[in-house]
Amino acid sequence: PGLDANGVENFRIWKSDTASTTSSPIALEAVTLNGALIRYRDDRDRTEVLATGRTLSVSGSFADAMNDLHVAGDLQVRSIALKGEPMLADRRARISLEMSFNANRFRIQKGEVILGDLPLEVSLTVEQDAKGQNLDLRASGLDLDIAELFAQLPEKVSAPFVRYGMQGRVDLAVHYAGPLDSPSLSIGAQVAKARMKERITGAMFT
């Protein structure tokens, strides 16, 4: 699915009959997808997500006003680009997502994601208003392995820490919100028994 530069969507699966006084959604009880190639793009801000669903279970309903989906299974995230710039690549995840979407809003009301070996709870809203698109992304996890956490971060964030070995656990809460072209990031973390060791010099930080 996607939207062109004018915000026109190509996923209008169900449209009400203007001659009818009632509208019935299309119900999708259960479909299993094996090896599915998934691509989402938004040409307004050059957002693109490319992933492969190894085994995905999909159910939900489609209506003119709003589409509701539940998607669960194994996902290989091949690439995520924001504003045309690569952010993530080659990440594996196991997902269970309750989501809804139409031309003006995409929302994950409840998301359980195991990213690599990190169990996370995720919610996401991308919504269009008169001023543009707004993002609200929240992710949290308890007792996460610090080394695995840094391994899953975007390369621009994790690159300065590659020369360090890491040990420890962290409780993490992330909130990334605001206009889609300039959201603000806030992070809350409680770290336990953490230490970093510089790989070349052996310098230790605790």
Side-chain angles (χ1 to χ4, degrees), residues 38-52:
I38 303 162
R39 179 177 180 241
Y40 171 80
R41 60 175 177 77
D42 188 338
D43 289 341
R44 293 173 296 181
D45 57 12
R46 295 181 298 159
T47 294
E48 185 172 49
V49 178
L50 187 63
T52 302

Side-chain angles (χ1 to χ4, degrees), residues 16-27:
S16 300
D17 184 353
T18 56
S20 175
T21 58
T22 62
S23 175
S24 299
I26 297 175

Side-chain angles (χ1 to χ4, degrees), residues 67-71 97-101 106-109:
N67 306 292
D68 296 292
L69 278 181
H70 175 255
V71 180
L97 306 176
E98 297 281 353
M99 65 182 76
S100 60
F101 62 93
F106 176 85
R107 186 180 180 197
I108 299 175
Q109 300 95 313

Side-chain angles (χ1 to χ4, degrees), residues 111 120-125 135-140 173-177:
L120 301 170
E121 293 187 0
V122 176
S123 67
L124 170 67
T125 299
L135 169 74
D136 191 312
L137 170 64
R138 301 167 190 260
S140 61
V174 176
H175 188 201
Y176 194 47

Side-chain angles (χ1 to χ4, degrees), residues 129-144:
D129 61 20
K131 296 182 180 180
Q133 287 187 293
N134 293 296
L135 169 74
D136 191 312
L137 170 64
R138 301 167 190 260
S140 61
L142 299 176
D143 195 34
L144 305 177

Side-chain angles (χ1 to χ4, degrees), residues 155-172:
E155 290 184 7
K156 288 184 177 180
V157 177
S158 62
F161 299 93
V162 169
R163 68 179 190 271
Y164 295 98
M166 299 183 185
Q167 291 182 335
R169 316 294 294 185
V170 61
D171 295 343
L172 182 70

